[in-house]
Amino acid sequence: MSALFLADHEAPGQASVQRCDACGHDLAATDPAPVCTQCGGLLAIVHRAPVDVDGAPLTGAALQGRFAQHCCARPVGHPSGVWRFESLVMPGAGDAITSHPEGNTPLLSRARLAAYTGCDGLLVKHEGYNPTGSFKDRGMTVGTTQAVRTGARAVACASTGNTSAALASYAAQAGIPGLVFVPAGKVALGKMAQTLAYGATTLLVHGDFDKCLALVQEASRDLGIYLLNSINPWRVEGQKTIVFELLQQLGWQSPDFLVLPAGNLGNTAAFGKALREALALGLIDRVPRLVSVQAAGAAPFARGFREGFATRHRVQAETIATAIRIGDPASWDRAVRAIRETDGLVLSVTDDEIIDAKVAIDAAGVGCEPASAASVAGVKQLVREGVITSSHRVVAVVTGHVLKDPGTLIDLHQHRPDFPGANRPVEIEPTIEAVARVLESRRQALS
Ligand code: F0G
């Protein structure tokens, strides 16, 4: 297993290297190769551990203090919840940062969601507050900054929709052409609209996400386009800041459980790396149990977990939560490590449970897209099973904004007579009598 930080004698003069997970080969931080040039393994970033102005190691409270100071400083005039953790993300990035800004998302406490899940200590880290409405912006600000500093002529990704929206926005800001591969007919309306609006070249692939990912990897190899999927190690660095930020919001006291929706497993991998580093640097003194939640129709990782991860499974994915409609997750091995190191769990929840949780989150006035609700559905499941009890502090990550998937919402509320939670709009003539009739019929609900 490779070391967490660079030793003094390694990579002289460099702040970070890209190290192969499989064979340990190092590439320079600015090498644009998407995977290891020796063996094709996934690359991970290894930084030099943070130091103070005198070159002494910076850990624990002193490092926490640096992050507090940096809170509103990076980039100048644009406080970013990613770049204040620069020394653990991309040290020495300089001022050429492509930042919206992003991050600084709230940690919400809602009595209705506590009641819904049965978890009194539930907090919701809402990543839908990011500029393009999902957590993908955190990785994309770092990935795009890397693309700019390595002189990439174009950037590309495969996506179920949120990564493509984020890529399109950040590529536009950086002035680099963006190319996205999405499964035709399987991308939620809001995400497709964003991707087109921000100007990325959009390929509607006749195939699922897994096909799109294979295709974009080939295209990036053959055409020399910089790959910005979550296997890109710099995107992982950006996504770690979800964890750093929520720990900072909790005064660096780890919750008992940290629950997130899981598809391609990039975020599970990023959370594992963040917790490993936070523990090693004394930012926290224990890690939360990581809980990855998959949709039942797209749950190869949950199946692997039940079997002690003896086999890497692949499935034909199908779920209403299109963001996590993924059958062959790319970051499998890293995610296994994250679950093992945190005594974590992997669950699957049905589409009905996802929609039920989403309706509860929406009705609490918070709102999210379907895939995001998997985390809250997972909390409810663990309370039911007695794994989470009333004394536990739990953070559920909600990954995307309610407006990402208006199609599902309109379908549920307007077109499904059998849906019990439907809030049907009422068409009326423009008269006060018509208004009064509606109010009368809803008197109880409105009084
Ligand atoms: N939640 C949302 C809203 C997502 O968009 C995704 C992934 C996930 C959860 C799962 O994260 O893949 O790291 O396990 N969306 C990717 C995309 C695949 O293309 O936007 P993961």
Side-chain angles (χ1 to χ4, degrees):
M1 191 186 299
S2 60
L4 275 190
F5 297 98
L6 288 174
D8 286 346
H9 65 275
E10 284 181 301
Q14 292 194 51
S16 323
V17 298
Q18 307 185 85
R19 180 164 292 167
C20 176
D21 270 357
C23 74
H25 178 64
D26 281 353
L27 299 181
T30 49
D31 193 311
V35 289
C36 177
T37 49
Q38 301 276 309
C39 76
L42 294 190
L43 298 169
I45 307 300
V46 184
H47 300 298
R48 207 164 291 290
V51 289
D52 66 15
V53 282
D54 300 321
L58 199 55
T59 57
L63 187 55
Q64 293 169 359
R66 173 190 280 191
F67 294 145
Q69 260 173 30
H70 276 208
C71 174
C72 301
R74 297 282 291 170
V76 177
H78 293 283
S80 163
V82 172
W83 292 103
R84 77 165 168 277
F85 301 106
E86 179 182 352
S87 51
L88 299 181
V89 170
M90 185 184 261
D95 284 329
I97 290 170
T98 306
S99 169
H100 204 94
E102 49 289 308
N104 295 316
T105 60
L107 205 48
L108 307 172
S109 161
R110 291 289 182 274
R112 286 175 76 162
L113 292 178
Y116 173 75
T117 53
C119 173
D120 293 338
L122 178 67
L123 294 168
V124 169
K125 177 72 171 161
H126 204 320
E127 287 293 301
Y129 283 65
N130 273 294
T132 76
S134 86
F135 71 96
K136 304 290 182 180
D137 295 331
R138 291 184 184 262
M140 209 49 82
T141 179
V142 185
T144 311
T145 297
Q146 173 73 355
V148 171
R149 75 175 185 168
T150 58
R153 58 182 185 85
V155 289
C157 72
S159 181
T160 54
N162 279 324
T163 302
S164 61
L167 179 143
S169 167
Y170 281 83
Q173 188 177 337
I176 308 175
L179 173 64
V180 308
F181 295 68
V182 297
K186 295 293 181 186
V187 177
L189 199 60
K191 305 173 191 182
M192 180 59 77
Q194 286 178 293
T195 306
L196 298 176
Y198 294 130
T201 299
T202 305
L203 304 178
L204 305 177
V205 179
H206 295 149
D208 58 12
F209 170 83
D210 304 294
K211 288 257 161 41
C212 292
L213 186 55
L215 193 58
V216 76
Q217 284 175 282
E218 209 180 319
S220 116
R221 248 192 330 266
D222 293 355
L223 308 173
I225 299 173
Y226 189 60
L227 188 65
L228 278 179
N229 268 99
S230 61
I231 56 168
N232 178 304
W234 296 102
R235 282 212 30 219
V236 172
E237 294 307 289
Q239 286 175 205
K240 287 188 324 192
T241 65
I242 304 171
V243 172
F244 295 148
E245 191 175 274
L246 75 86
L247 291 172
Q248 189 181 36
Q249 286 166 312
L250 294 172
W252 301 100
Q253 300 295 312
S254 274
D256 298 297
F257 291 87
L258 178 53
V259 188
L260 77 164
N264 211 23
L265 301 178
N267 227 14
T268 303
F271 279 32
K273 189 168 192 278
L275 290 170
R276 202 176 299 136
E277 292 175 356
L279 189 66
L281 291 168
L283 290 168
I284 50 174
D285 54 17
R286 66 182 180 97
V287 295
R289 296 182 74 182
L290 209 51
V291 183
S292 292
V293 187
Q294 297 205 291
F301 194 53
R303 181 167 168 212
F305 172 75
R306 286 194 299 274
E307 299 168 354
F309 293 126
T311 315
R312 178 169 178 168
H313 291 289
R314 294 169 177 84
V315 302
Q316 191 65 44
E318 195 49 79
T319 167
I320 192 167
T322 51
I324 51 175
R325 188 174 173 274
I326 294 171
D328 184 13
S331 296
W332 181 284
D333 292 338
R334 292 175 173 180
V336 169
R337 184 177 172 196
I339 296 297
R340 285 198 169 132
E341 284 182 355
T342 62
D343 187 23
L345 300 164
V346 188
L347 314 177
S348 68
V349 290
T350 65
D351 277 6
D352 282 350
E353 288 170 322
I354 287 175
I355 290 301
D356 197 60
K358 178 187 151 43
V359 168
I361 295 165
D362 291 352
V366 172
C368 70
E369 71 161 285
S372 306
S375 57
V376 172
V379 172
K380 194 172 168 69
Q381 186 181 115
L382 290 181
V383 171
R384 203 166 53 230
E385 291 171 356
V387 178
I388 290 178
T389 65
S390 55
S391 64
H392 286 130
R393 195 142 71 140
V394 178
V395 174
V397 180
V398 164
T399 43
H401 196 277
V402 69
L403 286 176
K404 286 286 190 175
D405 192 352
T408 299
L409 277 173
I410 296 296
D411 183 48
L412 283 177
H413 289 291
Q414 252 184 301
H415 303 310
R416 282 239 212 122
D418 57 324
F419 178 54
N423 177 22
R424 275 183 211 92
V426 187
E427 230 175 298
I428 59 162
E429 292 306 319
T431 66
I432 194 67
E433 292 77 18
V435 176
R437 267 197 301 279
V438 176
L439 293 187
E440 180 57 27
S441 71
R442 300 242 173 139
R443 197 147 53 100
Q444 264 180 332
L446 288 169
S447 62

